[in-house]
PDB file of all heavy atoms in Angstrom:
ATOM      1  N   PRO A  87     -62.263 -39.528  27.875  1.00  0.00           N
ATOM      2  CA  PRO A  87     -62.655 -38.200  28.359  1.00  0.00           C
ATOM      3  C   PRO A  87     -62.127 -37.132  27.396  1.00  0.00           C
ATOM      4  O   PRO A  87     -61.004 -37.232  26.892  1.00  0.00           O
ATOM      5  CB  PRO A  87     -61.960 -38.080  29.718  1.00  0.00           C
ATOM      6  CG  PRO A  87     -61.602 -39.473  30.113  1.00  0.00           C
ATOM      7  CD  PRO A  87     -61.408 -40.226  28.835  1.00  0.00           C
ATOM      8  N   ARG A  88     -62.930 -36.136  27.127  1.00  0.00           N
ATOM      9  CA  ARG A  88     -62.563 -35.079  26.181  1.00  0.00           C
ATOM     10  C   ARG A  88     -61.223 -34.424  26.541  1.00  0.00           C
ATOM     11  O   ARG A  88     -60.460 -34.047  25.658  1.00  0.00           O
ATOM     12  CB  ARG A  88     -63.664 -34.019  26.131  1.00  0.00           C
ATOM     13  CG  ARG A  88     -63.342 -32.861  25.184  1.00  0.00           C
ATOM     14  CD  ARG A  88     -64.438 -31.822  25.169  1.00  0.00           C
ATOM     15  NE  ARG A  88     -65.579 -32.222  24.395  1.00  0.00           N
ATOM     16  CZ  ARG A  88     -65.631 -32.193  23.055  1.00  0.00           C
ATOM     17  NH1 ARG A  88     -64.603 -31.790  22.370  1.00  0.00           N
ATOM     18  NH2 ARG A  88     -66.710 -32.554  22.418  1.00  0.00           N
ATOM     19  N   HIS A  89     -60.908 -34.320  27.841  1.00  0.00           N
ATOM     20  CA  HIS A  89     -59.680 -33.631  28.230  1.00  0.00           C
ATOM     21  C   HIS A  89     -58.417 -34.342  27.734  1.00  0.00           C
ATOM     22  O   HIS A  89     -57.344 -33.739  27.712  1.00  0.00           O
ATOM     23  CB  HIS A  89     -59.616 -33.403  29.747  1.00  0.00           C
ATOM     24  CG  HIS A  89     -59.418 -34.649  30.555  1.00  0.00           C
ATOM     25  ND1 HIS A  89     -60.466 -35.336  31.107  1.00  0.00           N
ATOM     26  CD2 HIS A  89     -58.298 -35.311  30.890  1.00  0.00           C
ATOM     27  CE1 HIS A  89     -60.000 -36.380  31.763  1.00  0.00           C
ATOM     28  NE2 HIS A  89     -58.685 -36.396  31.641  1.00  0.00           N
ATOM     29  N   LEU A  90     -58.529 -35.599  27.285  1.00  0.00           N
ATOM     30  CA  LEU A  90     -57.356 -36.294  26.758  1.00  0.00           C
ATOM     31  C   LEU A  90     -56.966 -35.824  25.355  1.00  0.00           C
ATOM     32  O   LEU A  90     -55.884 -36.145  24.875  1.00  0.00           O
ATOM     33  CB  LEU A  90     -57.581 -37.806  26.745  1.00  0.00           C
ATOM     34  CG  LEU A  90     -57.551 -38.508  28.093  1.00  0.00           C
ATOM     35  CD1 LEU A  90     -57.740 -40.008  27.923  1.00  0.00           C
ATOM     36  CD2 LEU A  90     -56.271 -38.222  28.857  1.00  0.00           C
ATOM     37  N   LEU A  91     -57.824 -35.042  24.702  1.00  0.00           N
ATOM     38  CA  LEU A  91     -57.499 -34.566  23.353  1.00  0.00           C
ATOM     39  C   LEU A  91     -56.192 -33.777  23.341  1.00  0.00           C
ATOM     40  O   LEU A  91     -55.362 -33.946  22.440  1.00  0.00           O
ATOM     41  CB  LEU A  91     -58.636 -33.710  22.787  1.00  0.00           C
ATOM     42  CG  LEU A  91     -59.941 -34.440  22.464  1.00  0.00           C
ATOM     43  CD1 LEU A  91     -61.014 -33.447  22.033  1.00  0.00           C
ATOM     44  CD2 LEU A  91     -59.718 -35.508  21.409  1.00  0.00           C
ATOM     45  N   ARG A  92     -55.998 -32.909  24.322  1.00  0.00           N
ATOM     46  CA  ARG A  92     -54.763 -32.118  24.385  1.00  0.00           C
ATOM     47  C   ARG A  92     -53.557 -33.039  24.574  1.00  0.00           C
ATOM     48  O   ARG A  92     -52.531 -32.892  23.923  1.00  0.00           O
ATOM     49  CB  ARG A  92     -54.823 -31.102  25.515  1.00  0.00           C
ATOM     50  CG  ARG A  92     -53.513 -30.313  25.655  1.00  0.00           C
ATOM     51  CD  ARG A  92     -53.554 -29.332  26.772  1.00  0.00           C
ATOM     52  NE  ARG A  92     -54.412 -28.221  26.361  1.00  0.00           N
ATOM     53  CZ  ARG A  92     -54.751 -27.236  27.160  1.00  0.00           C
ATOM     54  NH1 ARG A  92     -54.341 -27.202  28.401  1.00  0.00           N
ATOM     55  NH2 ARG A  92     -55.500 -26.258  26.728  1.00  0.00           N
ATOM     56  N   ARG A  93     -53.679 -34.000  25.464  1.00  0.00           N
ATOM     57  CA  ARG A  93     -52.597 -34.944  25.735  1.00  0.00           C
ATOM     58  C   ARG A  93     -52.248 -35.734  24.465  1.00  0.00           C
ATOM     59  O   ARG A  93     -51.080 -35.871  24.105  1.00  0.00           O
ATOM     60  CB  ARG A  93     -53.026 -35.892  26.858  1.00  0.00           C
ATOM     61  CG  ARG A  93     -51.969 -36.870  27.265  1.00  0.00           C
ATOM     62  CD  ARG A  93     -52.520 -37.837  28.330  1.00  0.00           C
ATOM     63  NE  ARG A  93     -51.477 -38.618  28.898  1.00  0.00           N
ATOM     64  CZ  ARG A  93     -50.819 -38.314  30.000  1.00  0.00           C
ATOM     65  NH1 ARG A  93     -51.117 -37.229  30.678  1.00  0.00           N
ATOM     66  NH2 ARG A  93     -49.850 -39.099  30.439  1.00  0.00           N
ATOM     67  N   ILE A  94     -53.262 -36.231  23.776  1.00  0.00           N
ATOM     68  CA  ILE A  94     -53.046 -37.003  22.555  1.00  0.00           C
ATOM     69  C   ILE A  94     -52.392 -36.131  21.485  1.00  0.00           C
ATOM     70  O   ILE A  94     -51.488 -36.577  20.773  1.00  0.00           O
ATOM     71  CB  ILE A  94     -54.371 -37.620  22.065  1.00  0.00           C
ATOM     72  CG1 ILE A  94     -54.851 -38.673  23.071  1.00  0.00           C
ATOM     73  CG2 ILE A  94     -54.217 -38.230  20.675  1.00  0.00           C
ATOM     74  CD1 ILE A  94     -56.295 -39.113  22.887  1.00  0.00           C
ATOM     75  N   SER A  95     -52.811 -34.874  21.389  1.00  0.00           N
ATOM     76  CA  SER A  95     -52.198 -33.966  20.410  1.00  0.00           C
ATOM     77  C   SER A  95     -50.722 -33.730  20.720  1.00  0.00           C
ATOM     78  O   SER A  95     -49.888 -33.693  19.818  1.00  0.00           O
ATOM     79  CB  SER A  95     -52.963 -32.644  20.374  1.00  0.00           C
ATOM     80  OG  SER A  95     -54.269 -32.865  19.903  1.00  0.00           O
ATOM     81  N   LEU A  96     -50.386 -33.589  21.992  1.00  0.00           N
ATOM     82  CA  LEU A  96     -48.978 -33.418  22.376  1.00  0.00           C
ATOM     83  C   LEU A  96     -48.166 -34.669  22.075  1.00  0.00           C
ATOM     84  O   LEU A  96     -47.014 -34.580  21.626  1.00  0.00           O
ATOM     85  CB  LEU A  96     -48.861 -33.059  23.856  1.00  0.00           C
ATOM     86  CG  LEU A  96     -49.257 -31.640  24.219  1.00  0.00           C
ATOM     87  CD1 LEU A  96     -49.327 -31.471  25.730  1.00  0.00           C
ATOM     88  CD2 LEU A  96     -48.286 -30.644  23.609  1.00  0.00           C
ATOM     89  N   ILE A  97     -48.748 -35.820  22.307  1.00  0.00           N
ATOM     90  CA  ILE A  97     -48.074 -37.082  21.979  1.00  0.00           C
ATOM     91  C   ILE A  97     -47.805 -37.130  20.481  1.00  0.00           C
ATOM     92  O   ILE A  97     -46.704 -37.475  20.038  1.00  0.00           O
ATOM     93  CB  ILE A  97     -48.921 -38.291  22.423  1.00  0.00           C
ATOM     94  CG1 ILE A  97     -49.029 -38.341  23.948  1.00  0.00           C
ATOM     95  CG2 ILE A  97     -48.345 -39.591  21.874  1.00  0.00           C
ATOM     96  CD1 ILE A  97     -50.106 -39.298  24.473  1.00  0.00           C
ATOM     97  N   SER A  98     -48.794 -36.753  19.702  1.00  0.00           N
ATOM     98  CA  SER A  98     -48.667 -36.767  18.245  1.00  0.00           C
ATOM     99  C   SER A  98     -47.571 -35.825  17.762  1.00  0.00           C
ATOM    100  O   SER A  98     -46.726 -36.198  16.944  1.00  0.00           O
ATOM    101  CB  SER A  98     -50.009 -36.389  17.614  1.00  0.00           C
ATOM    102  OG  SER A  98     -49.918 -36.365  16.221  1.00  0.00           O
ATOM    103  N   VAL A  99     -47.550 -34.606  18.283  1.00  0.00           N
ATOM    104  CA  VAL A  99     -46.533 -33.631  17.885  1.00  0.00           C
ATOM    105  C   VAL A  99     -45.142 -34.120  18.291  1.00  0.00           C
ATOM    106  O   VAL A  99     -44.204 -34.088  17.491  1.00  0.00           O
ATOM    107  CB  VAL A  99     -46.825 -32.245  18.502  1.00  0.00           C
ATOM    108  CG1 VAL A  99     -45.654 -31.305  18.339  1.00  0.00           C
ATOM    109  CG2 VAL A  99     -48.075 -31.652  17.887  1.00  0.00           C
ATOM    110  N   GLY A 100     -45.005 -34.574  19.520  1.00  0.00           N
ATOM    111  CA  GLY A 100     -43.711 -35.085  19.981  1.00  0.00           C
ATOM    112  C   GLY A 100     -43.227 -36.245  19.140  1.00  0.00           C
ATOM    113  O   GLY A 100     -42.055 -36.323  18.762  1.00  0.00           O
ATOM    114  N   SER A 101     -44.131 -37.137  18.806  1.00  0.00           N
ATOM    115  CA  SER A 101     -43.785 -38.286  17.985  1.00  0.00           C
ATOM    116  C   SER A 101     -43.332 -37.858  16.592  1.00  0.00           C
ATOM    117  O   SER A 101     -42.358 -38.381  16.059  1.00  0.00           O
ATOM    118  CB  SER A 101     -44.996 -39.217  17.900  1.00  0.00           C
ATOM    119  OG  SER A 101     -44.689 -40.384  17.217  1.00  0.00           O
ATOM    120  N   LYS A 102     -44.037 -36.887  16.013  1.00  0.00           N
ATOM    121  CA  LYS A 102     -43.654 -36.383  14.683  1.00  0.00           C
ATOM    122  C   LYS A 102     -42.283 -35.716  14.716  1.00  0.00           C
ATOM    123  O   LYS A 102     -41.571 -35.692  13.711  1.00  0.00           O
ATOM    124  CB  LYS A 102     -44.699 -35.406  14.163  1.00  0.00           C
ATOM    125  CG  LYS A 102     -45.967 -36.087  13.716  1.00  0.00           C
ATOM    126  CD  LYS A 102     -47.015 -35.099  13.268  1.00  0.00           C
ATOM    127  CE  LYS A 102     -48.290 -35.837  12.911  1.00  0.00           C
ATOM    128  NZ  LYS A 102     -49.397 -34.931  12.625  1.00  0.00           N
ATOM    129  N   LEU A 103     -41.894 -35.177  15.872  1.00  0.00           N
ATOM    130  CA  LEU A 103     -40.570 -34.560  16.008  1.00  0.00           C
ATOM    131  C   LEU A 103     -39.492 -35.600  16.297  1.00  0.00           C
ATOM    132  O   LEU A 103     -38.328 -35.255  16.441  1.00  0.00           O
ATOM    133  CB  LEU A 103     -40.590 -33.518  17.130  1.00  0.00           C
ATOM    134  CG  LEU A 103     -41.405 -32.264  16.858  1.00  0.00           C
ATOM    135  CD1 LEU A 103     -41.462 -31.383  18.096  1.00  0.00           C
ATOM    136  CD2 LEU A 103     -40.830 -31.487  15.673  1.00  0.00           C
ATOM    137  N   GLY A 104     -39.891 -36.862  16.396  1.00  0.00           N
ATOM    138  CA  GLY A 104     -38.924 -37.927  16.621  1.00  0.00           C
ATOM    139  C   GLY A 104     -38.593 -38.176  18.080  1.00  0.00           C
ATOM    140  O   GLY A 104     -37.625 -38.866  18.389  1.00  0.00           O
ATOM    141  N   ILE A 105     -39.369 -37.625  18.979  1.00  0.00           N
ATOM    142  CA  ILE A 105     -39.120 -37.844  20.410  1.00  0.00           C
ATOM    143  C   ILE A 105     -39.665 -39.220  20.772  1.00  0.00           C
ATOM    144  O   ILE A 105     -40.818 -39.532  20.472  1.00  0.00           O
ATOM    145  CB  ILE A 105     -39.790 -36.747  21.264  1.00  0.00           C
ATOM    146  CG1 ILE A 105     -39.184 -35.383  20.907  1.00  0.00           C
ATOM    147  CG2 ILE A 105     -39.636 -37.032  22.754  1.00  0.00           C
ATOM    148  CD1 ILE A 105     -39.886 -34.202  21.520  1.00  0.00           C
ATOM    149  N   PRO A 106     -38.849 -40.057  21.385  1.00  0.00           N
ATOM    150  CA  PRO A 106     -39.313 -41.406  21.744  1.00  0.00           C
ATOM    151  C   PRO A 106     -40.527 -41.347  22.674  1.00  0.00           C
ATOM    152  O   PRO A 106     -40.634 -40.471  23.536  1.00  0.00           O
ATOM    153  CB  PRO A 106     -38.110 -42.013  22.480  1.00  0.00           C
ATOM    154  CG  PRO A 106     -36.934 -41.208  22.046  1.00  0.00           C
ATOM    155  CD  PRO A 106     -37.453 -39.825  21.762  1.00  0.00           C
ATOM    156  N   LEU A 107     -41.432 -42.289  22.478  1.00  0.00           N
ATOM    157  CA  LEU A 107     -42.643 -42.324  23.294  1.00  0.00           C
ATOM    158  C   LEU A 107     -42.332 -42.467  24.772  1.00  0.00           C
ATOM    159  O   LEU A 107     -43.064 -41.953  25.617  1.00  0.00           O
ATOM    160  CB  LEU A 107     -43.575 -43.442  22.820  1.00  0.00           C
ATOM    161  CG  LEU A 107     -44.200 -43.233  21.434  1.00  0.00           C
ATOM    162  CD1 LEU A 107     -45.036 -44.450  21.041  1.00  0.00           C
ATOM    163  CD2 LEU A 107     -45.028 -41.976  21.388  1.00  0.00           C
ATOM    164  N   SER A 108     -41.237 -43.118  25.110  1.00  0.00           N
ATOM    165  CA  SER A 108     -40.857 -43.243  26.525  1.00  0.00           C
ATOM    166  C   SER A 108     -40.537 -41.873  27.116  1.00  0.00           C
ATOM    167  O   SER A 108     -40.888 -41.587  28.272  1.00  0.00           O
ATOM    168  CB  SER A 108     -39.671 -44.185  26.688  1.00  0.00           C
ATOM    169  OG  SER A 108     -38.554 -43.714  25.951  1.00  0.00           O
ATOM    170  N   ASP A 109     -39.898 -40.998  26.341  1.00  0.00           N
ATOM    171  CA  ASP A 109     -39.613 -39.632  26.810  1.00  0.00           C
ATOM    172  C   ASP A 109     -40.892 -38.816  26.909  1.00  0.00           C
ATOM    173  O   ASP A 109     -41.059 -38.015  27.831  1.00  0.00           O
ATOM    174  CB  ASP A 109     -38.622 -38.934  25.877  1.00  0.00           C
ATOM    175  CG  ASP A 109     -37.211 -39.492  25.979  1.00  0.00           C
ATOM    176  OD1 ASP A 109     -36.936 -40.258  26.929  1.00  0.00           O
ATOM    177  OD2 ASP A 109     -36.386 -39.173  25.104  1.00  0.00           O
ATOM    178  N   ILE A 110     -41.790 -39.002  25.948  1.00  0.00           N
ATOM    179  CA  ILE A 110     -43.070 -38.299  25.977  1.00  0.00           C
ATOM    180  C   ILE A 110     -43.861 -38.731  27.210  1.00  0.00           C
ATOM    181  O   ILE A 110     -44.434 -37.897  27.913  1.00  0.00           O
ATOM    182  CB  ILE A 110     -43.865 -38.559  24.679  1.00  0.00           C
ATOM    183  CG1 ILE A 110     -43.138 -37.932  23.480  1.00  0.00           C
ATOM    184  CG2 ILE A 110     -45.292 -38.034  24.797  1.00  0.00           C
ATOM    185  CD1 ILE A 110     -43.714 -38.305  22.130  1.00  0.00           C
ATOM    186  N   LYS A 111     -43.848 -40.016  27.481  1.00  0.00           N
ATOM    187  CA  LYS A 111     -44.578 -40.531  28.649  1.00  0.00           C
ATOM    188  C   LYS A 111     -44.027 -39.926  29.939  1.00  0.00           C
ATOM    189  O   LYS A 111     -44.782 -39.493  30.807  1.00  0.00           O
ATOM    190  CB  LYS A 111     -44.475 -42.055  28.696  1.00  0.00           C
ATOM    191  CG  LYS A 111     -45.277 -42.683  29.809  1.00  0.00           C
ATOM    192  CD  LYS A 111     -45.211 -44.193  29.742  1.00  0.00           C
ATOM    193  CE  LYS A 111     -46.057 -44.821  30.825  1.00  0.00           C
ATOM    194  NZ  LYS A 111     -46.027 -46.293  30.736  1.00  0.00           N
ATOM    195  N   ARG A 112     -42.722 -39.855  30.044  1.00  0.00           N
ATOM    196  CA  ARG A 112     -42.085 -39.270  31.227  1.00  0.00           C
ATOM    197  C   ARG A 112     -42.440 -37.784  31.354  1.00  0.00           C
ATOM    198  O   ARG A 112     -42.716 -37.290  32.439  1.00  0.00           O
ATOM    199  CB  ARG A 112     -40.570 -39.445  31.122  1.00  0.00           C
ATOM    200  CG  ARG A 112     -39.889 -39.627  32.442  1.00  0.00           C
ATOM    201  CD  ARG A 112     -38.455 -40.024  32.277  1.00  0.00           C
ATOM    202  NE  ARG A 112     -38.302 -40.825  31.063  1.00  0.00           N
ATOM    203  CZ  ARG A 112     -37.171 -41.064  30.446  1.00  0.00           C
ATOM    204  NH1 ARG A 112     -36.067 -40.593  30.903  1.00  0.00           N
ATOM    205  NH2 ARG A 112     -37.119 -41.798  29.361  1.00  0.00           N
ATOM    206  N   ALA A 113     -42.428 -37.083  30.231  1.00  0.00           N
ATOM    207  CA  ALA A 113     -42.729 -35.646  30.258  1.00  0.00           C
ATOM    208  C   ALA A 113     -44.188 -35.387  30.636  1.00  0.00           C
ATOM    209  O   ALA A 113     -44.489 -34.390  31.290  1.00  0.00           O
ATOM    210  CB  ALA A 113     -42.416 -35.014  28.903  1.00  0.00           C
ATOM    211  N   LEU A 114     -45.081 -36.280  30.245  1.00  0.00           N
ATOM    212  CA  LEU A 114     -46.496 -36.088  30.539  1.00  0.00           C
ATOM    213  C   LEU A 114     -46.931 -36.722  31.863  1.00  0.00           C
ATOM    214  O   LEU A 114     -48.098 -36.613  32.243  1.00  0.00           O
ATOM    215  CB  LEU A 114     -47.351 -36.642  29.398  1.00  0.00           C
ATOM    216  CG  LEU A 114     -47.309 -35.856  28.089  1.00  0.00           C
ATOM    217  CD1 LEU A 114     -48.109 -36.575  27.011  1.00  0.00           C
ATOM    218  CD2 LEU A 114     -47.822 -34.442  28.293  1.00  0.00           C
ATOM    219  N   ALA A 115     -46.008 -37.346  32.555  1.00  0.00           N
ATOM    220  CA  ALA A 115     -46.344 -38.014  33.822  1.00  0.00           C
ATOM    221  C   ALA A 115     -47.041 -37.096  34.831  1.00  0.00           C
ATOM    222  O   ALA A 115     -47.955 -37.542  35.532  1.00  0.00           O
ATOM    223  CB  ALA A 115     -45.104 -38.651  34.435  1.00  0.00           C
ATOM    224  N   PRO A 116     -46.670 -35.811  34.942  1.00  0.00           N
ATOM    225  CA  PRO A 116     -47.346 -34.948  35.914  1.00  0.00           C
ATOM    226  C   PRO A 116     -48.803 -34.610  35.564  1.00  0.00           C
ATOM    227  O   PRO A 116     -49.523 -34.062  36.389  1.00  0.00           O
ATOM    228  CB  PRO A 116     -46.510 -33.664  35.911  1.00  0.00           C
ATOM    229  CG  PRO A 116     -45.217 -34.015  35.280  1.00  0.00           C
ATOM    230  CD  PRO A 116     -45.513 -35.133  34.337  1.00  0.00           C
ATOM    231  N   VAL A 117     -49.229 -34.918  34.356  1.00  0.00           N
ATOM    232  CA  VAL A 117     -50.570 -34.561  33.916  1.00  0.00           C
ATOM    233  C   VAL A 117     -51.504 -35.751  34.143  1.00  0.00           C
ATOM    234  O   VAL A 117     -51.338 -36.794  33.513  1.00  0.00           O
ATOM    235  CB  VAL A 117     -50.582 -34.153  32.424  1.00  0.00           C
ATOM    236  CG1 VAL A 117     -51.976 -33.752  31.975  1.00  0.00           C
ATOM    237  CG2 VAL A 117     -49.587 -33.033  32.168  1.00  0.00           C
ATOM    238  N   PRO A 118     -52.480 -35.599  35.041  1.00  0.00           N
ATOM    239  CA  PRO A 118     -53.372 -36.724  35.337  1.00  0.00           C
ATOM    240  C   PRO A 118     -54.246 -37.077  34.136  1.00  0.00           C
ATOM    241  O   PRO A 118     -54.586 -36.214  33.324  1.00  0.00           O
ATOM    242  CB  PRO A 118     -54.219 -36.210  36.497  1.00  0.00           C
ATOM    243  CG  PRO A 118     -54.194 -34.731  36.365  1.00  0.00           C
ATOM    244  CD  PRO A 118     -52.853 -34.393  35.768  1.00  0.00           C
ATOM    245  N   MET A 119     -54.586 -38.355  34.040  1.00  0.00           N
ATOM    246  CA  MET A 119     -55.467 -38.790  32.953  1.00  0.00           C
ATOM    247  C   MET A 119     -56.897 -38.995  33.427  1.00  0.00           C
ATOM    248  O   MET A 119     -57.823 -38.910  32.645  1.00  0.00           O
ATOM    249  CB  MET A 119     -54.927 -40.082  32.336  1.00  0.00           C
ATOM    250  CG  MET A 119     -53.648 -39.877  31.568  1.00  0.00           C
ATOM    251  SD  MET A 119     -53.154 -41.338  30.665  1.00  0.00           S
ATOM    252  CE  MET A 119     -52.101 -42.144  31.871  1.00  0.00           C
ATOM    253  N   GLY A 120     -57.075 -39.271  34.708  1.00  0.00           N
ATOM    254  CA  GLY A 120     -58.387 -39.597  35.230  1.00  0.00           C
ATOM    255  C   GLY A 120     -59.231 -38.406  35.633  1.00  0.00           C
ATOM    256  O   GLY A 120     -60.359 -38.573  36.086  1.00  0.00           O
ATOM    257  N   LYS A 121     -58.673 -37.209  35.496  1.00  0.00           N
ATOM    258  CA  LYS A 121     -59.437 -35.995  35.807  1.00  0.00           C
ATOM    259  C   LYS A 121     -58.934 -34.873  34.915  1.00  0.00           C
ATOM    260  O   LYS A 121     -57.874 -34.978  34.307  1.00  0.00           O
ATOM    261  CB  LYS A 121     -59.279 -35.601  37.275  1.00  0.00           C
ATOM    262  CG  LYS A 121     -57.877 -35.153  37.661  1.00  0.00           C
ATOM    263  CD  LYS A 121     -57.822 -34.747  39.131  1.00  0.00           C
ATOM    264  CE  LYS A 121     -56.466 -34.177  39.459  1.00  0.00           C
ATOM    265  NZ  LYS A 121     -56.461 -32.740  39.556  1.00  0.00           N
TER     266      LYS A 121
END
Side-chain angles (χ1 to χ4, degrees):
R88 179 181 283 283
H89 70 265
L90 287 182
L91 292 175
R92 177 181 287 174
R93 183 184 190 94
I94 293 166
S95 295
L96 286 170
I97 294 166
S98 179
V99 168
S101 185
K102 286 177 183 173
L103 291 174
I105 298 171
L107 292 177
S108 59
D109 289 348
I110 294 171
K111 184 176 182 178
R112 213 170 328 163
L114 290 175
V117 181
M119 291 188 269
K121 67 179 186 103

